[in-house]
Amino acid sequence: MAVSIELGKKLDKDYENKSLEEVLDAPPSALAGLTDKHDELLAGLGIKTVRELGSNKYFALAGVLVALSNHVD
């Protein structure tokens, strides 16, 4: 099943027409709002690609906790 999503302004202009694989293999600065300085800081944590950023266990846990907080009474 093919899936299509519009990321609009979520990516840096240079990555707007790239494939998903190309974006995942790109540095974090491929995401709109992140810069080369962010790439350097994240590299210090061992994160050099969008894929590594998205699969980092600490960032993933933080995302889950935020999502859960939206469903707590």
Side-chain angles (χ1 to χ4, degrees), residues 14-71:
D14 293 339
Y15 291 90
E16 287 179 351
N17 294 312
K18 302 282 186 184
S19 71
L20 177 59
E21 285 301 311
E22 290 173 307
V23 172
L24 290 173
D25 291 336
S29 60
L31 303 177
L34 296 182
T35 66
D36 292 341
K37 181 66 176 170
H38 294 108
D39 289 342
E40 292 174 25
L41 293 169
L42 289 165
L45 298 172
I47 298 170
K48 297 178 184 167
T49 66
V50 172
R51 183 186 314 274
E52 291 171 344
L53 178 64
S55 60
N56 178 278
K57 66 181 179 180
Y58 302 109
F59 288 101
L61 176 58
V64 167
L65 291 172
V66 169
L68 287 172
S69 74
N70 293 325
H71 300 285

